[in-house]
Amino acid sequence: MPLISHAFFGGIPFPQQVEQKSLTAAKPLEDFSPSTLVLSMRQGLGEICTPTVEPGQPVLVGQVVGESSQGIQPPVHCGVSGRVIAVEPRPSADGEEVLSVVVENDRRNLPAPLLPEMTVHEPASHWIARMREAGLIGMGGAGFPTWKKYGAPAIDTVLVNGCECEPYLTCDHRVMLQRTDRVISGALALGRAAGVSPRQIIFCVETNKPDAAHRLKKAAEHAGMSLISLPDRYPEGGERQLIQAVLGREIPLGGLPADVGAVVSNVATAAAMGDAVMGIPLTHRAVTVSGQVSRPANLWVPVGTLFSDLLRYCGGENAPNPAPPAFWQEGKTCRMIAGGPMTGRLLERLDVPITKATSGLTVLPPQAWEEQNCIRCGACARVCPSRLMPFAIDAAVVAGKMPVCQDYGAVECISCGCCSYVRPARRFLATRVTLARNTLRRQMSAVKK
Ligand code: SF4
Ligand code: SF4
């Protein structure tokens, strides 16, 4: 199997990944369907959809319950059959109230009519349209509408990202093992949408998943595609890092993968595309529930499942075993993270729903340290894959000097968390650089308008 050597700047190896991922790597996807779904009308980046159903209305599996008025966000489909019990603002994982459709599950799984099945001879525009009507967004965490990525004129390579370099998470690993056929048919469909041949489609899998790589390689090569193994190094699965590592192309500052002729989609997105080819919209996804939980697991759940239901199904949080740290007794509770510990979001409450872009729930022991002054060691800059100086941006944010953050290129931060991970002074670097990035991006888009 061809092995690409580490070719992107910065990043960190995670030797402890093996142990963290081993909590769930061998756990097959289990079906879990909660009694209530909260379908947020904001599933990914950008606009909020408008509900297309009303309280009291019956709904079916696969039925559209929310649609975009501007046509950028794909529609939101329901993953259970039942009855709409509310259409109202509900708290979300990012701390804001978002208009949501709340559905009571009747557990009958009555299906809505499927979309027409697609045939291989259809033009690229039809495959792109299908991405939108089936509700596809990037399922690796970015949440960008998939159809917007495809259709650029000069794409020559599709990278299907199965790196899953984030600690603890193994849901993509299980999708590669258990939904191989859908990943393969979906990857071929992504290639048709991009206008490339199968030999221009490359699967990328880290070496810490040899079983998935072996299985996928066999199936990919049978269909004329290829698979490359990459060394375990976080954040290998970041779009920029992956393109650089596999193709040796560097995306210009402020640019997009299409600027260097590439497009990257996660394996879960590819599997959802495989479903879309058969006429099945995106209603479910794989999530990992891991860390300090009684029964770590990989679950196959409808979008809109509450984090609290995921945790309850997995037996709730448990104390570190065998040696709880001293601070465990202080009455602090575990940190609940939507996604993985590096790029995930700390949840303030658990009665919030997963979206199409949520890869898991990671439960970690409480944090027991305080920030100290920067000692100018430069470690954060050495690991930053975006070649930033996190210590300098941190100081500018603390001083309230946002224009300085722009000079330091904070908009290029990919929120990978590497700088926070190495911090000898325990500074909240990634949080502050991400804050600066988001503020600057908002200011830039307001100027454009
Ligand atoms: S790693 Fe921490 S202590 Fe070292 S330069 Fe960066 S902010 Fe300062
Ligand atoms: S500054 Fe941003 S891109 Fe750089 S290491 Fe920190 S989180 Fe990652």
Side-chain angles (χ1 to χ4, degrees):
M1 210 175 289
L3 177 70
I4 296 283
S5 62
H6 163 54
F8 66 89
F9 181 83
I12 36 185
F14 269 131
Q16 67 275 42
Q17 272 237 50
V18 177
E19 196 184 330
Q20 292 164 345
K21 285 187 183 282
S22 71
L23 289 171
T24 53
K27 304 254 174 100
L29 292 168
E30 288 174 49
D31 285 321
F32 168 60
S33 191
S35 54
T36 307
L37 282 194
V38 178
L39 289 147
S40 170
M41 292 294 102
R42 185 174 60 205
Q43 288 290 323
L45 294 175
E47 62 176 316
I48 295 178
C49 288
T50 306
T52 53
V53 290
E54 292 177 350
Q57 190 176 327
V59 283
L60 302 169
V61 179
Q63 182 176 334
V64 172
V65 295
E67 244 169 3
S68 143
S69 54
Q70 295 166 28
I72 295 173
Q73 274 299 329
V76 182
H77 300 81
C78 188
V80 300
S81 63
R83 193 173 59 88
V84 177
I85 53 174
V87 178
E88 62 190 19
R90 287 283 179 112
S92 66
D94 57 16
E96 291 174 11
E97 297 250 320
V98 181
L99 188 59
S100 303
V101 171
V102 186
V103 177
E104 188 179 53
N105 184 357
D106 66 8
R107 302 204 176 274
R108 295 166 71 198
N109 279 321
L110 300 172
L114 298 178
L115 298 163
E117 207 167 310
M118 298 196 70
T119 61
V120 291
H121 306 294
E122 301 194 40
S125 59
H126 288 197
W127 298 96
I128 293 172
R130 175 54 59 95
M131 290 171 175
R132 194 188 167 282
E133 62 188 342
L136 266 61
I137 65 169
M139 296 173 79
F144 194 75
T146 305
W147 73 271
K148 289 273 287 177
K149 283 183 164 185
Y150 288 77
I155 292 175
D156 60 35
T157 310
V158 173
L159 298 182
V160 186
N161 185 359
C163 286
E164 198 169 50
C165 55
E166 179 95 23
Y168 287 100
L169 301 183
T170 58
C171 52
D172 285 352
H173 186 169
R174 296 312 309 181
V175 165
M176 286 187 273
L177 282 173
Q178 293 180 243
R179 306 199 75 220
T180 317
D181 291 351
R182 290 297 160 92
V183 174
I184 293 294
S185 61
L188 289 168
L190 294 175
R192 287 182 202 114
V196 302
S197 70
R199 67 184 166 74
Q200 293 166 292
I201 303 170
I202 305 170
F203 287 90
C204 313
V205 184
E206 281 195 344
T207 48
N208 59 14
K209 294 175 267 294
D211 51 352
H214 180 74
R215 187 174 169 86
L216 208 50
K217 181 176 163 60
K218 221 168 131 192
E221 288 181 349
H222 186 69
M225 300 179 281
S226 59
L227 183 143
I228 272 176
S229 276
L230 295 119
D232 313 345
R233 189 168 184 91
Y234 180 84
E236 190 88 69
E239 267 189 355
R240 282 171 178 270
Q241 287 66 41
L242 196 62
I243 289 170
Q244 196 172 357
V246 176
L247 303 175
R249 302 175 191 171
E250 192 156 353
I251 301 173
L253 284 184
L256 294 169
D259 296 335
V260 294
V263 62
V264 182
S265 283
N266 177 268
V267 281
T269 312
M273 187 66 196
D275 286 338
V277 171
M278 316 277 292
I280 304 165
L282 199 176
T283 57
H284 286 64
R285 70 156 296 145
V287 293
T288 300
V289 183
S290 193
Q292 303 292 160
V293 289
S294 298
R295 199 176 63 82
N298 284 305
L299 306 177
W300 182 250
V301 295
V303 172
T305 299
L306 299 179
F307 284 98
S308 50
D309 285 333
L310 294 179
L311 187 62
R312 201 172 303 121
Y313 183 76
C314 291
E317 63 185 88
N318 65 358
N321 189 20
F327 56 80
W328 186 262
Q329 313 300 339
E330 292 171 11
K332 293 181 181 175
T333 53
C334 281
R335 285 175 291 152
M336 304 287 171
I337 297 166
M342 297 299 285
T343 57
R345 183 181 283 272
L346 191 64
L347 291 167
E348 290 166 12
R349 52 197 292 173
L350 284 182
D351 58 343
V352 295
I354 67 156
T355 67
K356 297 173 188 178
T358 306
S359 45
L361 170 65
T362 309
V363 183
L364 296 179
Q367 212 155 354
W369 57 78
E370 287 181 1
E371 278 191 292
Q372 290 159 18
N373 290 334
C374 171
I375 55 170
R376 302 272 166 185
C377 67
C380 54
R382 285 196 291 278
V383 298
C384 176
S386 300
R387 294 192 170 91
L388 303 177
M389 294 190 294
F391 63 87
I393 299 168
D394 173 48
V397 170
V398 171
K401 294 179 179 168
M402 214 38 89
V404 178
C405 298
Q406 187 161 10
D407 297 342
Y408 284 135
V411 285
E412 293 298 328
C413 172
I414 57 166
S415 293
C416 66
C418 288
C419 52
S420 285
Y421 181 80
V422 296
R423 56 184 176 184
R426 305 278 197 193
R427 297 197 63 75
F428 296 110
L429 297 172
T431 308
R432 293 213 182 90
V433 183
T434 302
L435 174 77
R437 179 199 67 185
N438 294 346
T439 307
L440 290 168
R441 282 186 183 168
R442 269 198 300 274
Q443 287 172 354
M444 286 152 80
S445 70
V447 169
K448 272 188 203 158
K449 282 177 192 164

